[in-house]
Amino acid sequence: MSEKLDQFIERLEVFFPKPLTPEDWQNAKAFRWQRRQSLLGNLGFLKPIWHLSDISFDDLQAIERQKELILNNTQHFVAGKPANNVLLTGARGTGKSSLIKACLNQFYHSGLRLVEVDKEHLSDLQDLTEILATRPEKFIVFCDDLSFEDGEAGYKALKSALDGSLSAQVENVLIYATSNRRHLLPEYMKDNESYQHSSDGEIHPGEVVEEKISLSERFGLWVSFYPPKQDEYLEIVAHWLAHFGQDKSVIENAKPEALVWALERGSRSGRVAWQFARHFAGAH
């Protein structure tokens, strides 16, 4: 009977995620919050991420002000001082996500860890923070490329986690989110109609718009990113070409080709510069 019970438990364990071991907590720099379908429904759990980018602050060019803001805020957080949740918004490929990864590499040995959460799993934020609150490390909950459509469940969960739900606020957890949208929700011209006073209009005009910007306002620190100018773009290209072992004369001769590359891509950004450098270094 005992043997059959052990076999049944072994089979049942397949449906449940394995808890993190002390070695996982100690050795993993980052984790990803995932869900698994089980007999009891969807179960959320943390999975270690073992292969991470080694990008540093020195690799991020032409965003000095943004680096300083994020560096100072994260430094305060790791040191146990007051710090803000952060929303990084702006042009694509300008270093928003890379800056957060650089923070992890900078402060890992000071006890910082990263937890990546997909937008679809933001409704689990309260469960996640309750798990992290018991740990001695400092955690940045990272939401990349965040945006919502009207009525999505994660929108209210994130609002509650940022400011409103007492159970979701813990001292060793901050939320860093990146987005191409400043206010995270689509905005329409018809939203402005609520500002018009009419006999059948809303009693409090403008509340539709106020609701849409209320989420972004709950982030204590806003950091904006903009496409680099041409000379800044070429500086980024030069940095990455040097990173891939190209000498100064080769880097100088690569500039015209780098400009054509950006023109063909229709944008100048740190990501485009890095992609060009990989292409050029591989070809030469």
Side-chain angles (χ1 to χ4, degrees):
M1 182 66 180
S2 176
E3 184 179 348
K4 291 183 178 180
L5 182 60
D6 290 339
Q7 292 176 352
F8 174 75
I9 292 175
E10 288 179 2
R11 294 176 182 177
L12 192 61
E13 285 178 346
V14 175
F15 296 97
F16 293 90
K18 294 182 179 180
L20 295 177
T21 66
E23 290 76 18
D24 291 335
W25 284 112
Q26 181 177 353
N27 299 325
K29 284 186 178 182
F31 306 88
R32 181 177 291 110
W33 181 259
Q34 294 188 330
R35 286 182 184 170
R36 176 180 292 178
Q37 186 70 29
S38 73
L39 299 176
L40 302 178
N42 286 325
L43 294 177
F45 63 100
L46 285 168
K47 182 178 181 180
I49 301 174
W50 297 111
H51 304 287
L52 296 167
S53 168
D54 60 354
I55 194 165
S56 69
F57 281 100
D58 292 337
D59 290 325
L60 301 171
Q61 306 291 309
I63 52 171
E64 296 306 318
R65 179 178 176 276
Q66 292 87 339
K67 285 197 294 185
E68 183 180 3
L69 288 170
I70 297 297
L71 178 63
N72 289 340
N73 191 73
T74 309
Q75 199 166 29
H76 294 163
F77 175 54
V78 171
K81 300 178 181 179
N84 279 307
N85 298 303
V86 183
L87 177 61
L88 302 88
T89 64
R92 65 187 186 276
T94 48
K96 300 185 292 294
S97 301
S98 296
L99 194 49
I100 297 176
K101 296 171 187 175
C103 278
L104 175 63
N105 293 325
Q106 178 80 9
F107 295 106
Y108 164 69
H109 293 291
S110 299
L112 184 66
R113 302 292 184 270
L114 196 70
V115 179
E116 185 178 20
V117 179
D118 292 336
K119 180 182 69 170
E120 293 78 12
H121 300 158
L122 285 175
S123 57
D124 298 337
L125 270 178
Q126 184 169 331
D127 295 333
L128 172 60
T129 52
E130 288 179 359
I131 295 172
L132 301 181
T134 63
R135 299 293 308 171
E137 301 89 356
K138 302 286 186 178
F139 294 93
I140 290 177
V141 173
F142 176 36
C143 307
D144 193 24
D145 198 18
L146 190 62
S147 64
F148 296 98
E149 299 302 325
D150 292 331
E152 286 195 60
Y155 178 82
K156 291 187 177 180
L158 183 56
K159 279 181 66 176
S160 179
L162 289 167
D163 183 18
S165 174
L166 293 176
S167 61
Q169 297 175 359
V170 294
E171 293 297 323
N172 67 331
V173 177
L174 281 183
I175 297 175
Y176 282 18
T178 70
S179 179
N180 294 330
R181 289 176 177 171
R182 182 65 177 269
H183 292 137
L184 303 178
L185 277 171
E187 299 176 77
Y188 305 102
M189 288 298 297
K190 66 181 181 180
D191 296 336
N192 293 319
E193 295 175 1
S194 59
Y195 280 103
Q196 299 177 2
H197 293 271
S198 61
S199 59
D200 59 347
E202 291 192 26
I203 297 176
H204 303 288
E207 286 191 347
V208 173
V209 176
E210 292 298 322
E211 167 64 18
K212 290 200 169 186
I213 68 175
S214 64
L215 174 58
S216 58
E217 285 190 339
R218 296 192 180 202
F219 287 90
L221 180 61
W222 288 4
V223 183
S224 299
F225 290 74
Y226 307 95
K229 299 177 182 177
Q230 179 171 300
D231 57 340
E232 292 174 334
Y233 166 74
L234 291 175
E235 287 177 10
I236 301 171
V237 168
H239 169 82
W240 285 117
L241 286 175
H243 173 80
F244 289 122
Q246 305 300 307
D247 59 38
K248 291 184 178 180
S249 61
V250 173
I251 293 173
E252 187 66 27
N253 292 332
K255 288 182 177 180
E257 191 174 338
L259 294 175
V260 172
W261 179 277
L263 185 63
E264 291 176 342
R265 298 297 295 268
S267 68
R268 288 193 301 260
S269 70
R271 180 184 296 143
V272 170
W274 180 76
Q275 291 168 343
F276 169 76
R278 287 181 63 88
H279 164 77
F280 187 90
H284 292 77

